[in-house]
Amino acid sequence: MFERHRQAPLYMQIAEHIARQIDQGTYRVGDAIPSVRAGRKLFKVSPGTLLEAYRNLEDRGYIRARPQSGYYVRQRAGDMLEPPKPSGTARKPSPIQVNPAIQMLRRMAERDLLQLGAAVPDASFMPTRALNQRLTRAVRIHDRSIHTYGPPTGLPKLRQQLARMMAGYGCTLSGDDLIITNGCTESLNLCLRAVTRPGDTVAIESPTYYGHLITLKGLGLDALPIETSAVEGISVPALEKAAKRHRIAAVVVTPSFANPTGSCMPDSSRRELLSWAHRTGTPIIEDDIYGDLYFGDVRSTPLVAMDSSGLVLYCSSTSKTLSSGFRVGWCVAGKYSAQVELLKVAVNPTSTIAPQHALADFLDNGGVHKHLRRLRRQYREQVDRFCESVTRHFPEPIRLHRPAGGHLLWIELPKQVDTAEVFQHALAHKISIAPGAIFSPNGQFRHYMRLNCAVPWSARVDQAIRTIGQIVSELS
């Protein structure tokens, strides 16, 4: 049912309503959407408003006009391609090779590059003005306290606000259940230290976020890559099979819109994973940093909300949604809360107070919900544009899956293409990409690459993707 609100122009509300229906399969490829006459009656708008909505859907690749016939759902770029292939489960745990990855990460972060490599949203997508106002207010009101140590577990007001936000995910928590950290990376580090010892084996997605690999390496842990689909995430049957051959101390997963694949685990797989964890007593460390960036109507339920055993250690932050620079994260450590809190005090006795005040104020004001609705719409449009551009400019054959959330694209190229070479050639054009090998502990995925879609769309971005496609053609 279509309901009007005041938070966006009416034509955009209509376009979003129809786009969601297409995403959810109400209208399928080739189906006609309501005619202008029918749409006017359905949405109670003028012909001009409806046509503006339809033009927006055309620009985003959802529909196309047929002269004297109407508007029809088109097959969007990405939908016509096969998703990238999974790699399979590793035969045995392996030490982690990260030195080449660190060198590439340094280059990816250079300021004069078009940042299609680093998974960092451009500041234009963030509520910078509102947060700056609240940061200024925090400095003015808490002029002395922001220069002293705060509570080791974080500002009580912020913890309470985050607990209320997580209640919307289905989590029954109080502020006392949360520990504020210096970003999601610190949360993951603390949780791993609480449940493992050096030399232990940790099961990971394959591919997985390179930051997880660097953390595992620093803690002296071995990684066991588990078969992972670019569509549905980690394979629980493959994990169960691997656990019969190897002692797995913990599992690290990103169920919602994983980095780099953008995969999203179905609820059935989440329940299977939790059932296995309960039977074996294996801790699960859940990275939910992209969970709020869903493109559909409903947020996927995080594992921590489905868990009754306390075996799930939940990690998240505001880096992909509100501010990358604030470095405010949090964790809910379940039955391991006491260990994680002790480790937090030992490693980092307090997190910076001023950003915590600013975020608590922003969350208390209620502005986060409006911002996230806008952000999800923007990221969905960005992903559509990147998919269309990649499909148009890259040589065949490629494999690509349009994610149902987040802002990352995982692309499989012909096997003869080494994306480390693509990376080096792209740097010469002041463009960064993320080569696939950095997402593996042992250098797999050499003919894969990741693109960051959280860069404002422009002719320059389209040209950059064209340039990358030309480089791929030359290396094929």
Side-chain angles (χ1 to χ4, degrees), residues 59-107:
D59 291 342
R60 292 160 61 186
Y62 275 94
I63 63 173
R64 63 176 50 176
R66 294 182 186 172
Q68 300 179 338
S69 179
Y71 292 89
Y72 293 81
V73 178
R74 63 175 293 186
Q75 191 168 46
R76 288 179 292 165
D79 290 340
M80 62 193 81
L81 299 174
E82 292 291 326
K85 297 175 185 175
S87 67
T89 299
R91 292 184 178 181
K92 60 181 182 179
S94 62
I96 297 166
Q97 306 169 12
V98 297
N99 289 339
I102 290 175
Q103 297 299 324
M104 290 181 178
L105 296 178
R106 288 174 181 166
R107 297 301 310 275

Side-chain angles (χ1 to χ4, degrees), residues 37-203:
R37 178 179 294 180
R40 286 178 57 196
K41 294 179 180 179
L42 177 64
F43 298 110
K44 298 179 174 57
V45 294
S46 68
T49 298
L50 189 68
L51 287 170
E52 189 68 23
Y54 284 2
R55 277 192 288 268
N56 177 271
L57 290 168
E58 282 187 286
D59 291 342
R60 292 160 61 186
Y62 275 94
I63 63 173
R64 63 176 50 176
R66 294 182 186 172
Q68 300 179 338
S69 179
Y71 292 89
Y72 293 81
V73 178
R74 63 175 293 186
Q75 191 168 46
R76 288 179 292 165
D79 290 340
M80 62 193 81
L81 299 174
E82 292 291 326
K85 297 175 185 175
S87 67
T89 299
R91 292 184 178 181
K92 60 181 182 179
S94 62
I96 297 166
Q97 306 169 12
V98 297
N99 289 339
I102 290 175
Q103 297 299 324
M104 290 181 178
L105 296 178
R106 288 174 181 166
R107 297 301 310 275
M108 274 198 290
E110 292 177 5
R111 292 185 178 274
D112 63 337
L113 300 178
L114 181 59
Q115 294 290 355
L116 305 185
V120 180
D122 187 86
S124 63
F125 292 105
M126 303 291 102
T128 51
R129 182 176 180 181
L131 289 176
N132 286 343
Q133 290 173 341
R134 284 161 174 79
L135 188 59
T136 301
R137 184 172 182 267
V139 172
R140 185 177 69 252
I141 294 176
H142 308 282
D143 58 334
R144 291 179 179 271
S145 64
I146 64 170
H147 294 286
T148 62
Y149 284 174
T153 54
L155 195 68
K157 181 180 178 182
L158 176 59
R159 295 163 68 198
Q160 187 60 43
Q161 290 296 332
L162 291 170
R164 289 177 182 173
M165 185 172 73
M166 290 185 66
Y169 313 162
C171 302
T172 304
L173 301 168
S174 72
D176 292 338
D177 296 315
L178 279 72
I179 299 172
I180 303 299
T181 60
N182 185 37
C184 194
T185 298
E186 184 179 69
S187 292
L188 184 88
N189 189 298
L190 295 174
C191 290
L192 277 168
R193 291 183 65 192
V195 300
T196 66
R197 297 294 179 268
D200 280 350
T201 294
V202 176

Side-chain angles (χ1 to χ4, degrees), residues 132-395:
N132 286 343
Q133 290 173 341
R134 284 161 174 79
L135 188 59
T136 301
R137 184 172 182 267
V139 172
R140 185 177 69 252
I141 294 176
H142 308 282
D143 58 334
R144 291 179 179 271
S145 64
I146 64 170
H147 294 286
T148 62
Y149 284 174
T153 54
L155 195 68
K157 181 180 178 182
L158 176 59
R159 295 163 68 198
Q160 187 60 43
Q161 290 296 332
L162 291 170
R164 289 177 182 173
M165 185 172 73
M166 290 185 66
Y169 313 162
C171 302
T172 304
L173 301 168
S174 72
D176 292 338
D177 296 315
L178 279 72
I179 299 172
I180 303 299
T181 60
N182 185 37
C184 194
T185 298
E186 184 179 69
S187 292
L188 184 88
N189 189 298
L190 295 174
C191 290
L192 277 168
R193 291 183 65 192
V195 300
T196 66
R197 297 294 179 268
D200 280 350
T201 294
V202 176
I204 60 172
E205 295 154 321
S206 179
T208 193
Y209 170 50
Y210 56 73
H212 293 171
L213 295 174
I214 292 172
T215 299
L216 292 172
K217 174 79 170 179
L219 296 178
L221 300 168
D222 288 339
L224 181 60
I226 304 296
E227 178 181 332
T228 301
S229 160
V231 180
E232 296 189 342
I234 195 167
S235 167
V236 179
L239 174 63
E240 292 177 336
K241 186 176 180 180
K244 292 176 181 178
R245 300 194 305 268
H246 309 284
R247 182 188 175 276
I248 295 175
V251 182
V252 177
V253 292
T254 306
S256 295
F257 321 120
N259 181 356
T261 61
S263 64
C264 186
M265 290 180 70
D267 284 350
S268 58
S269 296
R270 297 179 191 228
R271 288 190 290 269
E272 287 177 16
L273 178 59
L274 287 172
S275 177
W276 171 81
H278 295 167
R279 292 195 310 271
T280 60
T282 308
I284 299 174
I285 299 174
E286 177 180 21
D287 181 348
D288 195 41
I289 196 170
Y290 295 98
D292 281 325
L293 300 178
Y294 56 95
F295 297 159
D297 288 334
V298 181
R299 190 192 201 279
S300 294
T301 304
L303 295 173
V304 70
M306 305 168 75
D307 176 48
S308 59
S309 66
L311 284 169
V312 174
L313 297 88
Y314 176 93
C315 306
S316 192
S317 87
T318 60
S319 295
K320 310 302 181 185
T321 53
L322 298 177
S323 172
S324 301
F326 271 18
R327 304 303 303 144
V328 174
W330 68 96
C331 62
V332 178
K335 64 191 295 183
Y336 305 98
S337 290
Q339 296 99 304
V340 171
E341 184 174 344
L342 182 61
L343 287 165
K344 167 65 178 173
V345 174
V347 172
N348 186 6
T350 187
S351 298
T352 308
I353 293 296
Q356 292 187 57
H357 276 295
L359 284 171
D361 191 9
F362 184 70
L363 293 173
D364 188 37
N365 184 259
V368 65
H369 301 294
K370 179 179 178 181
H371 164 70
L372 287 176
R373 283 193 293 270
R374 177 180 61 84
L375 186 64
R376 287 192 287 267
R377 183 179 71 247
Q378 288 178 317
Y379 281 170
R380 186 172 66 186
E381 292 177 0
Q382 289 288 118
V383 167
D384 283 345
R385 284 169 169 158
F386 271 71
C387 282
E388 191 279 331
S389 184
V390 167
T391 304
R392 179 159 39 90
H393 292 310
F394 276 42

Side-chain angles (χ1 to χ4, degrees), residues 376-450:
R376 287 192 287 267
R377 183 179 71 247
Q378 288 178 317
Y379 281 170
R380 186 172 66 186
E381 292 177 0
Q382 289 288 118
V383 167
D384 283 345
R385 284 169 169 158
F386 271 71
C387 282
E388 191 279 331
S389 184
V390 167
T391 304
R392 179 159 39 90
H393 292 310
F394 276 42
E396 296 182 354
I398 64 168
R399 286 175 172 258
L400 168 68
H401 170 64
R402 179 194 289 105
H407 55 80
L408 303 173
L409 283 187
W410 183 238
I411 306 166
E412 181 182 356
L413 303 173
K415 288 186 177 180
Q416 66 269 28
V417 178
D418 186 342
T419 52
E421 292 185 50
V422 178
F423 171 80
Q424 295 295 342
H425 286 289
L427 287 179
H429 295 274
K430 299 298 183 181
I431 304 165
S432 77
I433 65 154
I438 69 174
F439 301 100
S440 166
N442 49 22
Q444 285 184 290
F445 306 107
R446 291 188 177 277
H447 62 290
Y448 293 70
M449 63 184 291
R450 188 197 68 189

